[in-house]
Amino acid sequence: MELDRAELSPGGASSPTQWSPSALGQACSEVLHRLTGHEARRASARRVALKDFSALIETTEWDRLLEGSGQPLRRAAETLGQVTKALEKYAAPPKEEACAGSAHSEVPEKAVEVGVLFLRLLEKVEAGKNCLVCPAWKTVLGHLAGPIYIFAITHLLEQPWTSPRSREVAGEVRSSLLKVTQCSSVAGFLRGENEDERFPVIMGLLKPYLNKESWKNNPAVKHVFSWTLQQVTRPWLTQHLERILPPSLLISDDYQTENKVLGVHCLHHIVLNVPAADLLQYNRAQVVYHAIFNHLYMPEHHLIQAVLLCLLDLFPILEKAQNWKGDASRPTTHCDEVLQLVLTHMEPEHRLLLRRTYARNLPAFVNRLGILTVRHMKRLERVIVGYLEVYDGPEEEARLKILETLKLLMQYTWPRISCRVVVLLRALLKLICDVARDTNLTPDPVKNALLQEATDCLILLDHCSQGRVKGLLAKIVLSCDDSTVVSCIRKVQWVSADASYHGT
């Protein structure tokens, strides 16, 4: 390497041939050998390689070098790209099982060192391209952009292998890369704001590390894939479906909850940004459905939340493939199947976080099914009554969402409500009494919201029962001495006084 450095040094001969692409390629090959060859196992060899590459960046006249063309320039650019890939791997975190102790703590330091090199390299390319008539710099940048992008995203996000300093440097690398490529955002960089799209290039670099055998060798790869995927939206994502769907399914199928959630987020992004026709082709939508349906058996509230949100957006796509003829009963849908399982899990559930997660998503299922919710009336009634009885903490999220569900249920299925008036009336009055007697635990705004929602439910219940509720409440007012309860009952009577009962 000393010879190469002498040839590329400003103190050496000044003949233009000594600044040729072939000389750069030879020097880069030496650096690459020290980073990836047998001697790369020694820390001293890697440090020398980094020093040599730093010197190479500083001593090369990039504006004159990039005036070259043809095969020598392409070979030099290719070798430079291989060095960049090697440096990105050098700064990458080790395998998950090895992420401990000194091996883990060394990663941010390496990232800062490599990030500074990338910043200087990008600065040189930026300075060189401004002096050129011939756009040969694009050839070099085409080999550098992918690995530098992966490095930046690997260390940009807050992860166990990053530090404030390494994240700062990674952010600067990303900004510099966008500046050199003349892109206004990462999304523009990926979809090719000014040049050919780079998303396929990035996916191609990640592909060897996203198969069943290797995807855990680098714990950063799944995060880079997920973050990159979510920067690309429709219509650009559709053409890459074959590249992005298998890794997303692979990550979601892992035994670790963190990976399941990450994979489901990727699948959800695909569902939202790929046309239904493409997802229905080759039964892809069914594959996604079955892949995440089984996650509903996991008692992890973060996972359940991610799965339910994804399924709610997947149902319209799955239903496009179903044909219903008006002369027959409507077939059971995937939404029915999921709601049945959710209600089965909700009934005995005692963990507050899971109860809140289920209750949070229940109104969307009732909205989705509409009048077809009658198929689940018995179980819904038990869940509603059971959840209204249990205090849910100061925010009362579960009970508020259950009241919202009950309102929707009465609006959609009002002909079936009259036979359930007594059960629902008892549950609502008990809730109002509990809230009225609660003097310490629940904040006043939450209490008011609960009382308002419960009162609205009583008004709807009265409409559905042709005024029966108003008659039953008249007896309660005479014997009740709680002003809050009486106030809620009076509201029901006032609103219902002039109502005409022809359904809701």
Side-chain angles (χ1 to χ4, degrees), residues 70-92:
Q71 195 65 24
L73 178 63
R74 285 195 292 272
R75 279 199 297 266
E78 199 172 311
T79 308
L80 188 59
Q82 290 172 351
V83 173
T84 309
K85 286 182 192 175
L87 289 171
E88 182 270 316
K89 290 176 186 173
Y90 167 75

Side-chain angles (χ1 to χ4, degrees), residues 57-105:
I57 294 172
E58 294 299 329
T59 58
T60 302
E61 292 184 359
W62 292 89
D63 54 342
R64 297 184 62 184
L65 172 72
L66 294 177
E67 288 175 354
S69 60
Q71 195 65 24
L73 178 63
R74 285 195 292 272
R75 279 199 297 266
E78 199 172 311
T79 308
L80 188 59
Q82 290 172 351
V83 173
T84 309
K85 286 182 192 175
L87 289 171
E88 182 270 316
K89 290 176 186 173
Y90 167 75
K95 290 184 180 181
E96 290 183 349
E97 57 268 24
C99 280
S102 60
H104 196 181
S105 61

Side-chain angles (χ1 to χ4, degrees), residues 308-334:
L308 291 178
L309 290 177
C310 182
L311 286 171
L312 284 166
D313 287 317
L314 185 62
F315 291 147
I317 297 170
L318 292 168
E319 289 169 14
K320 285 182 182 292
Q322 293 181 332
N323 294 317
W324 174 59
K325 297 180 179 179
D327 57 348
S329 61
R330 293 191 187 185
T332 303
T333 64
H334 295 86

